[in-house]
Amino acid sequence: TNNTLRDNGDGTIVMFNFKEVIVPSATQNVFMFDMYKTNLTVKKEVITNPVVIGKQVDFNITVKNTGESNLTSVWINETGFTKGLVYDSFKSSFNWTYNAKDKLWTLNETLPVGKTAYIVLTFNVTESGIMQNNVSVGFSNHTFGNDTVDFRAYVPNMTIEKVSLTPEVIVGMPAYFLI
């Protein structure tokens, strides 16, 4: 049995790898060969600035393997985002797949010890105000961490007026404007 997990109750998870041997007397012997501490961290940041209603906002999510073992099937989950954010798409140079029902992205490659994987999630902004977006990270059925970003979405309400200060504009002559 490989990659058996135990929660130590102190925020750490230990992964065990066992081997079994069945001897002629039908006795099964179990040996533990490897034991690794596993851990993941996640960092979320708003890329788009400013965030404006009617436009899109991009979030960069960085996942890092800070444990002692290479990890497979690492996932991130959008565990909560404010009303006014509607998921649109994702992009990454890493091999992520998306499960829309569970709002879960799974990394379909091994994440080596000390390495990071990135993904950019794009949301449509449909309301203004203070927004919040939260992401969790884990593998197997364990959550290792989360990160929340708070930001403001603005309503674009600027108008620009350009008035000529030169009463008669002539080609080749300077013209002055008040903006």
Side-chain angles (χ1 to χ4, degrees):
T1 306
N2 287 321
N3 301 332
T4 302
L5 302 176
R6 181 184 79 195
D7 187 340
N8 290 334
D10 62 358
T12 63
I13 305 292
V14 177
M15 181 168 48
F16 298 94
N17 290 326
F18 295 95
K19 301 293 180 197
E20 298 87 15
V21 176
I22 299 178
V23 294
S25 64
T27 303
Q28 182 177 6
N29 296 302
V30 177
F31 302 96
M32 182 177 65
F33 284 95
D34 300 314
M35 185 173 77
Y36 303 101
K37 287 187 178 176
T38 57
N39 196 28
L40 288 164
T41 59
V42 64
K43 177 72 178 155
K44 186 170 204 169
E45 58 189 338
V46 181
I47 298 173
T48 310
N49 188 18
V51 177
V52 179
I53 188 171
K55 302 288 185 178
Q56 292 186 319
V57 59
D58 289 330
F59 298 96
N60 184 59
I61 299 172
T62 305
V63 175
K64 184 172 185 179
N65 181 351
T66 57
E68 301 172 346
S69 177
N70 296 341
L71 299 175
T72 57
S73 299
V74 171
W75 51 262
I76 60 169
N77 180 238
E78 282 291 311
T79 53
F81 47 88
T82 303
K83 180 181 169 190
L85 293 176
V86 178
Y87 174 72
D88 182 73
S89 60
F90 75 93
K91 59 188 169 214
S92 179
S93 59
F94 293 88
N95 185 14
W96 295 90
T97 54
Y98 177 56
N99 174 331
K101 178 181 172 255
D102 298 324
K103 298 178 186 167
L104 189 77
W105 290 260
T106 303
L107 182 62
N108 297 303
E109 54 192 88
T110 299
L111 186 58
V113 173
K115 299 297 182 180
T116 56
Y118 306 93
I119 186 170
V120 174
L121 304 183
T122 301
F123 286 78
N124 295 313
V125 181
T126 61
E127 294 186 19
S128 63
I130 301 296
M131 302 282 184
Q132 188 174 78
N133 192 302
N134 185 50
V135 66
S136 295
V137 66
F139 85 98
S140 185
N141 61 348
H142 291 278
T143 301
F144 284 89
N146 61 57
D147 193 23
T148 301
V149 292
D150 296 308
F151 58 96
R152 179 175 292 280
Y154 296 94
V155 176
N157 60 359
M158 179 187 296
T159 58
I160 298 176
E161 184 178 340
K162 183 177 179 180
V163 178
S164 174
L165 297 177
T166 307
E168 186 176 321
V169 178
I170 301 171
V171 175
M173 299 300 294
Y176 300 97
F177 297 92
L178 176 65
I179 298 177

